Amino acid sequence: MARKYNWKTGCDVEATLSVIGGRWKPILICRLLNGRKRFGEVCRLAPNATERMITLQLRELEADGVIARHVYPEVPPRVEYEVTEFGQSLAPIIKSMQKWGSEFKAQRLAEEAADNERTEHAA
């Protein structure tokens, strides 16, 4: 996988984002932190992502050593994904993102409810 990040002089935050950046990677990591999952289950846990996008993102995470892919020689083939020991070091970052997102959503919902209430009283 070709990256444009300069490993010698680039910013450390940029290094992190080169691995977990994008819309789906943090979501996939978050879902896989709860344990090993089959591909279909991963797709169901990210319903707004296409299977192709999930596949591409999982491949990049695998190439970076964040997740491991297990293929079982069965018919039909079974593939499972899990966060590696190295990938587990991302858990505090992902959980912080999850907490921040939860608080942000609650704030926005409260603002929206207050705006709706003001609109109703003005009418």
Side-chain angles (χ1 to χ4, degrees), residues 94-120:
I94 299 297
K95 289 181 187 212
S96 291
M97 290 172 67
Q98 190 175 28
K99 181 178 186 280
W100 189 90
S102 175
E103 292 168 359
F104 179 72
K105 282 178 15 183
Q107 176 186 336
R108 286 297 169 111
L109 289 171
E111 289 171 359
E112 190 177 287
D115 287 346
N116 288 341
E117 191 173 306
R118 279 192 290 272
T119 303
E120 289 174 6

Side-chain angles (χ1 to χ4, degrees), residues 14-118:
E14 189 178 354
T16 303
L17 289 175
S18 75
V19 176
I20 66 166
R23 182 173 180 185
W24 300 111
K25 285 181 183 179
I27 294 166
L28 297 173
I29 295 167
C30 183
R31 301 300 190 242
L32 290 171
L33 282 171
N34 295 326
R36 188 182 282 207
K37 308 250 184 305
R38 292 182 71 167
F39 180 76
E41 190 175 0
V42 172
C43 290
R44 282 190 296 278
L45 292 170
N48 295 326
T50 64
E51 284 189 17
R52 175 167 163 63
M53 183 54 65
I54 291 172
T55 299
L56 293 173
Q57 300 289 274
L58 288 171
R59 284 182 187 162
E60 289 181 14
L61 289 168
E62 182 183 12
D64 287 328
V66 174
I67 64 162
R69 180 176 186 255
H70 304 281
V71 180
Y72 298 91
E74 301 174 351
V75 178
R78 179 170 53 119
V79 178
E80 293 180 343
Y81 295 89
E82 70 177 331
V83 176
T84 62
E85 187 175 328
F86 173 66
Q88 289 289 336
S89 65
L90 289 167
I93 296 168
I94 299 297
K95 289 181 187 212
S96 291
M97 290 172 67
Q98 190 175 28
K99 181 178 186 280
W100 189 90
S102 175
E103 292 168 359
F104 179 72
K105 282 178 15 183
Q107 176 186 336
R108 286 297 169 111
L109 289 171
E111 289 171 359
E112 190 177 287
D115 287 346
N116 288 341
E117 191 173 306
R118 279 192 290 272

